[in-house]
Amino acid sequence: MSNNILVIGGTGNIGTPLVGLLKDSAENYKVLARSDESAASLAAQNVPTIRGALGEWSGIETALGGIDTVSLLSSPSPDMPNLHKGLIDRAVSAGVRKIVRLSAEPANDAEGLPMYEDHADADAYLQASGLEYVILRPHYFMQNIVEMHAGYMKNNGMFAQYLGNARIPMVDTRDVARAAFIALTSNEFNGEIYEITGPRAISYYDVAKAFSNALGKDIQYVSMSYEEQKAGLEALGLPDMITTTVMTLFKRWADAGERPATQVFEEMTGQIATDIDVFATDAAQQF
């Protein structure tokens, strides 16, 4: 059976390692490039591309020609459900066989979480489409630690975050990419939703310890209050939908105390999920 793959969302923390895995494989694939600059950057890495963007439907219809499997990932946006539904409709019309959709863990209990209500909506639409599918719902990304806190760790030897002693099974996005690669290139996992986590639930105190060891200096975690964290997000000018979702989700985690890890990554890939100590050692090279 042929398996020509189109990657939508081929940059960023998940898309970049996913494309790397495809590049190192024998799979036939191409990456949707939203701009000439993105297309040129990917082409310089010998990555096959085609120009197009969700919502620009004539280009999408062209890109879907001859495609068997789609990897569907896009940035958070109020338009995301309609964009993904539009892609799914056109995939059906184009004769695409399967979509692997990158959703998010809170979509399994999304009420009161606007961003994840959108994910649940798009997931249900894909399930009802008649296409084969795999839906991946990763937990909170370890990469968020670096994006949010690297500067404070480097310059001040500390970072602040609302979550207290609560423990969540943060996941390395490289592992999410590995699970997506398996889902794209195998039919073993079709027709299911998979929650991807790291190997264990950890607190931000565990994060501080891991980065202290990796950086060779003491890193302190300062537990912020709910009100302080909310004010900080609002000061960044984030859309209300994102602020509401993030704060509601973090409060759920704080109130729960611990969210357990799953063994899904190990079951899908036969590999051990990346631990925070390994991630911190790798991430320290970026400081």
Side-chain angles (χ1 to χ4, degrees):
M1 181 182 296
S2 66
N3 190 33
N4 294 313
I5 298 168
L6 175 67
V7 177
I8 299 176
T11 59
N13 284 330
I14 296 173
T16 297
L18 173 58
V19 170
L21 291 168
L22 288 166
K23 183 179 176 182
D24 291 340
S25 75
E27 301 293 331
N28 295 315
Y29 76 99
K30 58 186 174 182
V31 178
L32 191 73
R34 296 180 60 187
S35 66
D36 292 338
E37 292 77 12
S38 177
S41 176
L42 290 166
Q45 303 168 57
N46 295 318
V47 172
T49 65
I50 186 167
R51 282 281 284 111
L54 293 177
E56 299 174 4
W57 297 122
S58 61
I60 291 293
E61 289 163 5
T62 299
L64 288 172
I67 293 295
D68 303 293
T69 305
V70 174
S71 176
L72 178 56
L73 166 66
S74 65
S75 301
S77 162
D79 295 332
M80 184 274 289
N82 289 332
L83 293 175
H84 282 219
K85 290 176 183 179
L87 182 281
I88 291 165
D89 289 343
R90 286 161 178 82
V92 171
S93 297
V96 169
R97 178 176 59 86
K98 173 177 164 182
I99 291 179
V100 176
R101 183 174 187 278
L102 268 295
S103 181
E105 176 271 332
N108 64 352
D109 183 18
E111 186 175 356
L113 301 170
M115 283 170 52
Y116 301 112
E117 289 176 341
D118 286 349
H119 271 300
D121 182 25
D123 289 345
Y125 196 84
L126 174 56
Q127 289 177 291
S129 68
L131 295 170
E132 296 179 29
Y133 67 87
V134 177
I135 294 170
L136 300 180
R137 290 179 175 170
H139 214 283
Y140 190 77
F141 299 155
M142 291 179 182
Q143 277 72 9
N144 292 341
I145 299 165
V146 175
E147 293 176 0
M148 295 174 63
H149 302 304
Y152 286 96
M153 291 185 192
K154 180 179 180 180
N155 299 323
N156 306 105
M158 56 77 67
F159 67 100
Q161 173 74 49
Y162 166 63
L163 207 58
N165 289 305
R167 304 168 69 85
I168 58 174
M170 300 182 195
V171 63
D172 190 323
T173 57
R174 295 173 297 182
D175 289 347
V176 181
R178 171 66 66 178
F181 175 81
I182 296 296
L184 288 166
T185 58
S186 166
N187 291 315
E188 182 178 353
F189 302 99
N190 289 5
E192 299 290 344
I193 296 175
Y194 297 97
E195 182 179 333
I196 311 295
T197 75
R200 61 187 173 111
I202 58 175
S203 72
Y204 276 107
Y205 293 104
D206 296 317
V207 170
K209 180 180 178 182
F211 275 89
S212 295
N213 293 334
L215 295 170
K217 66 177 184 179
D218 187 40
I219 302 295
Q220 294 291 320
Y221 163 53
V222 177
S223 179
M224 298 175 69
S225 70
Y226 175 95
E227 291 75 19
E228 289 170 331
Q229 182 78 74
K230 185 171 184 290
L233 294 179
E234 290 172 343
L236 291 173
L238 296 176
D240 289 343
M241 180 184 77
I242 293 178
T243 298
T244 298
T245 298
V246 169
M247 293 310 305
T248 303
L249 180 59
F250 267 74
K251 189 173 189 307
R252 285 188 187 181
W253 289 342
D255 290 346
E258 181 167 340
R259 305 284 291 196
T262 72
Q263 300 301 309
V264 168
F265 176 78
E266 289 80 357
E267 293 165 0
M268 291 186 72
T269 68
Q271 300 178 6
I272 301 299
T274 304
D275 190 73
I276 187 61
D277 295 319
V278 174
F279 172 78
T281 299
D282 292 345
Q285 300 174 22
Q286 304 174 36
F287 281 64

